[in-house]
Amino acid sequence: WVYPDGNDIKRSSRKAQVDYVRNYLNEFYSVLKGEQPEKHYSDYLDVEAAIDHNLLNAFAFNIDALRLSTFFTKVQDGKIVFGPIWDFDRSLGSGDGHDKDPTVWNHPRRTDYFNYGCWYYLFRDIDFFQQYIDRWQELRQGALSQKRINAAFNYFCNRLQNAEKRD
């Protein structure tokens, strides 16, 4: 819980809210596992936000993503929304070494982006997987194209040149 936070959410006046969120998440997971075939996980989950969240973390090889460094929101009468993404200090070949080989997806000290928690069930749904692939292709043609990535890299390098000299 971030909001309401620790002590506030433990108040007896918040019990209904806690029960609502707990029941919602439990029902989502039950539907996701196929225990309620008359329902679909997209009734509970903002699928597009989930795909973007997973893709951006996998793209940066954020080894803490989805298990340690993950937030999601659940507003009243709304779906589960993954995000915001954050905490990329152990990504993109950082100094701790665990994120140096992005071809090794399944390792005890790294996130298995395609099998961890609810992702295990999502990636076994062919429609979700196709939507994920389509979104990846869309991003690689636009915001995550090699040209745009290189331009962003060069922009930030140029912005840091003066600071680098002072440092």
Side-chain angles (χ1 to χ4, degrees):
W1 295 95
V2 173
Y3 179 78
D5 68 5
N7 290 330
D8 189 17
I9 199 64
K10 292 177 184 174
R11 293 188 343 218
S12 60
S13 61
R14 296 280 189 179
K15 182 177 180 347
Q17 185 177 11
V18 171
D19 290 346
Y20 165 77
V21 172
R22 180 179 293 121
N23 292 338
Y24 188 92
L25 292 173
N26 286 337
E27 187 169 332
F28 162 66
Y29 209 66
S30 173
V31 168
L32 190 60
K33 294 189 313 184
E35 295 171 354
Q36 299 184 49
E38 69 281 2
K39 297 181 180 180
H40 194 264
Y41 61 81
S42 63
D43 297 332
Y44 299 83
L45 177 68
D46 181 329
V47 175
E48 292 81 15
I51 287 172
D52 282 353
H53 189 273
N54 186 293
L55 272 171
L56 292 172
N57 278 291
F59 179 74
F61 200 45
N62 182 4
I63 64 170
D64 285 344
L66 313 181
R67 58 188 180 93
L68 299 174
S69 297
T70 295
F71 282 114
F72 62 86
T73 57
K74 168 64 180 92
V75 296
Q76 186 174 5
D77 299 324
K79 297 178 181 184
I80 299 165
V81 179
F82 274 89
I85 60 170
W86 73 288
D87 192 18
F88 283 78
D89 64 321
R90 300 179 72 203
S91 65
L92 297 167
S94 70
D96 83 359
H98 292 289
D99 57 344
K100 293 218 182 290
D101 185 2
T103 63
V104 182
W105 296 107
N106 190 6
H107 183 279
R109 298 198 51 175
R110 301 176 187 146
T111 297
D112 184 347
Y113 301 94
F114 311 105
N115 293 298
Y116 184 79
C118 68
W119 303 100
Y120 172 86
Y121 298 101
L122 289 168
F123 279 107
R124 273 139 190 86
D125 174 34
I126 192 69
D127 294 326
F128 177 87
F129 207 161
Q130 187 62 58
Q131 192 173 347
Y132 189 91
I133 292 166
D134 293 344
R135 179 64 172 151
W136 172 246
Q137 294 299 325
E138 176 187 346
L139 289 170
R140 287 297 284 163
Q141 297 299 313
L144 295 180
S145 69
Q146 197 62 52
K147 181 179 178 181
R148 299 272 302 266
I149 291 169
N150 290 344
F153 180 80
N154 290 333
Y155 170 80
F156 288 115
C157 285
N158 290 335
R159 298 270 302 165
L160 291 173
Q161 281 181 342
N162 290 331
E164 180 185 24
K165 292 172 191 170
R166 290 190 309 270
D167 192 29

